[in-house]
PDB file of all heavy atoms in Angstrom:
ATOM      1  N   ARG W 218      86.321  34.785  49.403  1.00  0.00           N
ATOM      2  CA  ARG W 218      86.394  35.700  50.502  1.00  0.00           C
ATOM      3  C   ARG W 218      87.739  35.517  51.332  1.00  0.00           C
ATOM      4  O   ARG W 218      88.119  36.439  52.087  1.00  0.00           O
ATOM      5  CB  ARG W 218      85.202  35.521  51.476  1.00  0.00           C
ATOM      6  CG  ARG W 218      83.859  35.760  50.792  1.00  0.00           C
ATOM      7  CD  ARG W 218      83.476  37.200  50.803  1.00  0.00           C
ATOM      8  NE  ARG W 218      83.159  37.675  52.154  1.00  0.00           N
ATOM      9  CZ  ARG W 218      81.919  37.642  52.692  1.00  0.00           C
ATOM     10  NH1 ARG W 218      80.913  37.243  51.946  1.00  0.00           N
ATOM     11  NH2 ARG W 218      81.729  38.145  53.903  1.00  0.00           N
ATOM     12  N   VAL W 219      88.310  34.346  51.245  1.00  0.00           N
ATOM     13  CA  VAL W 219      89.543  34.088  51.956  1.00  0.00           C
ATOM     14  C   VAL W 219      90.467  33.230  51.087  1.00  0.00           C
ATOM     15  O   VAL W 219      90.020  32.676  50.090  1.00  0.00           O
ATOM     16  CB  VAL W 219      89.261  33.296  53.291  1.00  0.00           C
ATOM     17  CG1 VAL W 219      88.384  34.106  54.186  1.00  0.00           C
ATOM     18  CG2 VAL W 219      88.625  31.942  53.003  1.00  0.00           C
ATOM     19  N   THR W 220      91.746  33.155  51.468  1.00  0.00           N
ATOM     20  CA  THR W 220      92.711  32.341  50.757  1.00  0.00           C
ATOM     21  C   THR W 220      92.870  30.985  51.458  1.00  0.00           C
ATOM     22  O   THR W 220      92.416  30.795  52.577  1.00  0.00           O
ATOM     23  CB  THR W 220      94.073  33.038  50.735  1.00  0.00           C
ATOM     24  OG1 THR W 220      94.577  33.102  52.059  1.00  0.00           O
ATOM     25  CG2 THR W 220      94.013  34.409  50.181  1.00  0.00           C
ATOM     26  N   GLU W 221      93.474  30.055  50.743  1.00  0.00           N
ATOM     27  CA  GLU W 221      93.761  28.745  51.343  1.00  0.00           C
ATOM     28  C   GLU W 221      94.606  28.879  52.588  1.00  0.00           C
ATOM     29  O   GLU W 221      94.342  28.171  53.552  1.00  0.00           O
ATOM     30  CB  GLU W 221      94.462  27.848  50.309  1.00  0.00           C
ATOM     31  CG  GLU W 221      93.627  27.382  49.144  1.00  0.00           C
ATOM     32  CD  GLU W 221      92.789  26.154  49.442  1.00  0.00           C
ATOM     33  OE1 GLU W 221      93.194  25.380  50.343  1.00  0.00           O
ATOM     34  OE2 GLU W 221      91.789  25.950  48.794  1.00  0.00           O
ATOM     35  N   GLU W 222      95.581  29.767  52.524  1.00  0.00           N
ATOM     36  CA  GLU W 222      96.466  29.960  53.683  1.00  0.00           C
ATOM     37  C   GLU W 222      95.650  30.447  54.908  1.00  0.00           C
ATOM     38  O   GLU W 222      95.830  29.978  55.995  1.00  0.00           O
ATOM     39  CB  GLU W 222      97.512  30.950  53.350  1.00  0.00           C
ATOM     40  CG  GLU W 222      98.544  31.218  54.456  1.00  0.00           C
ATOM     41  CD  GLU W 222      99.705  30.265  54.455  1.00  0.00           C
ATOM     42  OE1 GLU W 222      99.661  29.251  53.681  1.00  0.00           O
ATOM     43  OE2 GLU W 222     100.644  30.410  55.252  1.00  0.00           O
ATOM     44  N   GLN W 223      94.756  31.422  54.664  1.00  0.00           N
ATOM     45  CA  GLN W 223      93.938  31.924  55.745  1.00  0.00           C
ATOM     46  C   GLN W 223      93.035  30.826  56.314  1.00  0.00           C
ATOM     47  O   GLN W 223      92.835  30.724  57.501  1.00  0.00           O
ATOM     48  CB  GLN W 223      93.105  33.120  55.272  1.00  0.00           C
ATOM     49  CG  GLN W 223      93.926  34.329  54.959  1.00  0.00           C
ATOM     50  CD  GLN W 223      93.101  35.435  54.289  1.00  0.00           C
ATOM     51  OE1 GLN W 223      92.246  35.146  53.437  1.00  0.00           O
ATOM     52  NE2 GLN W 223      93.340  36.683  54.616  1.00  0.00           N
ATOM     53  N   ALA W 224      92.457  30.045  55.450  1.00  0.00           N
ATOM     54  CA  ALA W 224      91.553  28.962  55.907  1.00  0.00           C
ATOM     55  C   ALA W 224      92.321  27.909  56.705  1.00  0.00           C
ATOM     56  O   ALA W 224      91.865  27.420  57.726  1.00  0.00           O
ATOM     57  CB  ALA W 224      90.877  28.295  54.715  1.00  0.00           C
ATOM     58  N   ALA W 225      93.555  27.596  56.270  1.00  0.00           N
ATOM     59  CA  ALA W 225      94.370  26.676  57.056  1.00  0.00           C
ATOM     60  C   ALA W 225      94.691  27.153  58.407  1.00  0.00           C
ATOM     61  O   ALA W 225      94.679  26.434  59.413  1.00  0.00           O
ATOM     62  CB  ALA W 225      95.634  26.327  56.247  1.00  0.00           C
ATOM     63  N   LEU W 226      95.027  28.469  58.459  1.00  0.00           N
ATOM     64  CA  LEU W 226      95.312  29.075  59.810  1.00  0.00           C
ATOM     65  C   LEU W 226      94.083  29.070  60.660  1.00  0.00           C
ATOM     66  O   LEU W 226      94.154  28.844  61.905  1.00  0.00           O
ATOM     67  CB  LEU W 226      95.854  30.513  59.617  1.00  0.00           C
ATOM     68  CG  LEU W 226      97.331  30.632  59.228  1.00  0.00           C
ATOM     69  CD1 LEU W 226      97.612  32.050  58.803  1.00  0.00           C
ATOM     70  CD2 LEU W 226      98.182  30.261  60.447  1.00  0.00           C
ATOM     71  N   ALA W 227      92.919  29.303  60.073  1.00  0.00           N
ATOM     72  CA  ALA W 227      91.687  29.323  60.860  1.00  0.00           C
ATOM     73  C   ALA W 227      91.363  27.927  61.439  1.00  0.00           C
ATOM     74  O   ALA W 227      90.728  27.862  62.495  1.00  0.00           O
ATOM     75  CB  ALA W 227      90.509  29.753  59.964  1.00  0.00           C
ATOM     76  N   LEU W 228      91.903  26.847  60.800  1.00  0.00           N
ATOM     77  CA  LEU W 228      91.712  25.529  61.405  1.00  0.00           C
ATOM     78  C   LEU W 228      92.486  25.440  62.706  1.00  0.00           C
ATOM     79  O   LEU W 228      92.069  24.666  63.608  1.00  0.00           O
ATOM     80  CB  LEU W 228      92.197  24.474  60.420  1.00  0.00           C
ATOM     81  CG  LEU W 228      91.246  24.163  59.261  1.00  0.00           C
ATOM     82  CD1 LEU W 228      91.862  23.173  58.315  1.00  0.00           C
ATOM     83  CD2 LEU W 228      89.916  23.626  59.745  1.00  0.00           C
ATOM     84  N   PHE W 229      93.586  26.145  62.862  1.00  0.00           N
ATOM     85  CA  PHE W 229      94.253  26.132  64.147  1.00  0.00           C
ATOM     86  C   PHE W 229      93.476  26.815  65.215  1.00  0.00           C
ATOM     87  O   PHE W 229      93.444  26.419  66.380  1.00  0.00           O
ATOM     88  CB  PHE W 229      95.653  26.798  63.970  1.00  0.00           C
ATOM     89  CG  PHE W 229      96.655  25.923  63.281  1.00  0.00           C
ATOM     90  CD1 PHE W 229      96.897  26.074  61.953  1.00  0.00           C
ATOM     91  CD2 PHE W 229      97.412  24.998  63.993  1.00  0.00           C
ATOM     92  CE1 PHE W 229      97.853  25.270  61.309  1.00  0.00           C
ATOM     93  CE2 PHE W 229      98.350  24.174  63.371  1.00  0.00           C
ATOM     94  CZ  PHE W 229      98.537  24.328  62.009  1.00  0.00           C
ATOM     95  N   THR W 230      92.844  27.924  64.821  1.00  0.00           N
ATOM     96  CA  THR W 230      91.932  28.603  65.753  1.00  0.00           C
ATOM     97  C   THR W 230      90.782  27.713  66.179  1.00  0.00           C
ATOM     98  O   THR W 230      90.527  27.536  67.391  1.00  0.00           O
ATOM     99  CB  THR W 230      91.317  29.883  65.056  1.00  0.00           C
ATOM    100  OG1 THR W 230      92.362  30.707  64.597  1.00  0.00           O
ATOM    101  CG2 THR W 230      90.422  30.643  66.025  1.00  0.00           C
ATOM    102  N   ALA W 231      90.129  27.099  65.227  1.00  0.00           N
ATOM    103  CA  ALA W 231      89.028  26.160  65.561  1.00  0.00           C
ATOM    104  C   ALA W 231      89.493  25.022  66.381  1.00  0.00           C
ATOM    105  O   ALA W 231      88.830  24.626  67.371  1.00  0.00           O
ATOM    106  CB  ALA W 231      88.397  25.651  64.226  1.00  0.00           C
ATOM    107  N   GLY W 232      90.673  24.459  66.079  1.00  0.00           N
ATOM    108  CA  GLY W 232      91.187  23.335  66.822  1.00  0.00           C
ATOM    109  C   GLY W 232      91.494  23.723  68.260  1.00  0.00           C
ATOM    110  O   GLY W 232      91.243  22.916  69.163  1.00  0.00           O
ATOM    111  N   ALA W 233      92.023  24.922  68.470  1.00  0.00           N
ATOM    112  CA  ALA W 233      92.304  25.358  69.809  1.00  0.00           C
ATOM    113  C   ALA W 233      91.021  25.483  70.650  1.00  0.00           C
ATOM    114  O   ALA W 233      90.951  25.064  71.824  1.00  0.00           O
ATOM    115  CB  ALA W 233      93.075  26.696  69.793  1.00  0.00           C
ATOM    116  N   VAL W 234      89.978  26.038  70.049  1.00  0.00           N
ATOM    117  CA  VAL W 234      88.666  26.148  70.750  1.00  0.00           C
ATOM    118  C   VAL W 234      88.162  24.796  71.063  1.00  0.00           C
ATOM    119  O   VAL W 234      87.711  24.540  72.210  1.00  0.00           O
ATOM    120  CB  VAL W 234      87.695  26.959  69.862  1.00  0.00           C
ATOM    121  CG1 VAL W 234      86.284  26.892  70.472  1.00  0.00           C
ATOM    122  CG2 VAL W 234      88.101  28.365  69.715  1.00  0.00           C
ATOM    123  N   GLY W 235      88.262  23.899  70.140  1.00  0.00           N
ATOM    124  CA  GLY W 235      87.761  22.536  70.390  1.00  0.00           C
ATOM    125  C   GLY W 235      88.569  21.802  71.444  1.00  0.00           C
ATOM    126  O   GLY W 235      87.999  21.067  72.258  1.00  0.00           O
TER     127      GLY W 235
END
Side-chain angles (χ1 to χ4, degrees):
R218 300 274 291 266
V219 300
T220 66
E221 290 276 337
E222 182 86 354
Q223 290 171 323
L226 278 168
L228 284 175
F229 284 96
T230 303
V234 170

